[in-house]
Amino acid sequence: MSTWQIVLIVITVLLLAALIVLYILGKKSQKKKEEQDAQIAAAAQTISMLIIDKKRMPLKDAGLPATVIEQTPKMLRRSKLPIVKAKVGPKIMTFICDGAIFDGIPTKKEVKAVVSGLYITSVKGIRVSNEATPKKKKFWDKFKKTNNN
C-alpha cells in the first residue's frame, strides 16, 4: 500500500467515527427534548393576554427574573431570544416565546396563549384573525424595487 491509500483509509475511519458520535449525540438530545416537551405540556395553561411588545433580545436585557437568568447556561445568556411583553390581568409580564410562533404573534392585540411558566407555546387570536405582522423590507429588497420601476 502506498502512503496516499493509508491516509485515505485513516480519513475514512475518522469520518465514520465522527458520524457515529454525531448520531448517538443526536439521539440523546432528541430524547431529552421529548422529555422537556412533555413537561411543558403538563404544566401548560391557557391565559388571555394583551400583547404589548415583542422583540428578539439577549436574556440579560429582557427584564426576566434573576432566577431565570441564573438557571440558563452561560452560553445561552448572550444569545438573542424571542421576548414578548404582555399584560395579563393587571400585571405586565415578560415571557419567552417559542421561535416557531414568534412571527405570528400580533402586537397591540388581545390573544389567548398557551403558557407554561414564562414560556409561550402557542397563540390564538380572540377578536382578530391571527395574521402575521408584516415583515420589514430589507435594504436589498428596497434596492431591487427601485431598479425594477
Side-chain angles (χ1 to χ4, degrees), residues 121-138:
T121 56
S122 69
V123 172
K124 299 177 197 112
I126 291 181
R127 296 194 176 99
V128 293
S129 64
N130 232 9
E131 72 271 356
T133 56
K135 290 187 176 183
K136 288 184 180 179
K137 288 187 179 180
K138 296 179 182 173

Side-chain angles (χ1 to χ4, degrees), residues 54 56 82 84 96-106 112-114 119-124 130 132:
K54 66 175 189 170
R56 293 187 189 273
V84 175
I96 300 171
C97 182
D98 189 10
I101 64 163
F102 180 71
D103 292 330
I105 296 177
K112 278 197 180 216
V114 178
Y119 191 72
I120 300 175
T121 56
S122 69
V123 172
K124 299 177 197 112
N130 232 9

Side-chain angles (χ1 to χ4, degrees), residues 1-10 12-13:
M1 276 192 177
S2 64
T3 56
W4 67 272
Q5 289 175 333
I6 295 173
V7 169
L8 189 62
I9 291 172
V10 168
T12 306
V13 168

Side-chain angles (χ1 to χ4, degrees), residues 5-128:
Q5 289 175 333
I6 295 173
V7 169
L8 189 62
I9 291 172
V10 168
I11 291 173
T12 306
V13 168
L14 288 175
L15 285 176
L16 188 61
L19 282 175
I20 291 171
V21 167
L22 286 175
Y23 178 77
I24 292 170
L25 290 176
K27 282 289 198 184
K28 284 184 181 179
S29 65
Q30 184 178 10
K31 190 182 293 185
K32 195 179 202 181
K33 175 144 178 38
E34 288 172 358
E35 290 173 2
Q36 289 173 348
D37 288 344
Q39 290 175 348
I40 288 173
Q45 54 184 320
T46 304
I47 297 175
S48 178
M49 62 176 65
L50 175 70
I51 306 294
I52 296 171
D53 189 24
K54 66 175 189 170
K55 8 176 139 163
R56 293 187 189 273
M57 60 176 48
L59 193 63
K60 62 180 181 174
D61 299 337
L64 291 167
T67 55
V68 173
I69 296 171
E70 290 171 3
Q71 290 175 354
T72 57
K74 299 242 185 232
M75 297 291 286
L76 189 64
R77 289 183 193 175
R78 289 189 170 193
S79 65
K80 290 187 175 183
L81 295 175
I83 304 293
V84 175
K85 291 197 187 279
K87 184 175 182 183
V88 181
K91 293 195 313 188
I92 294 177
M93 298 179 67
T94 304
F95 294 96
I96 300 171
C97 182
D98 189 10
I101 64 163
F102 180 71
D103 292 330
I105 296 177
T107 55
K108 310 285 191 268
K109 304 260 193 288
E110 191 172 346
V111 296
K112 278 197 180 216
V114 178
V115 177
S116 177
L118 292 176
Y119 191 72
I120 300 175
T121 56
S122 69
V123 172
K124 299 177 197 112
I126 291 181
R127 296 194 176 99
V128 293

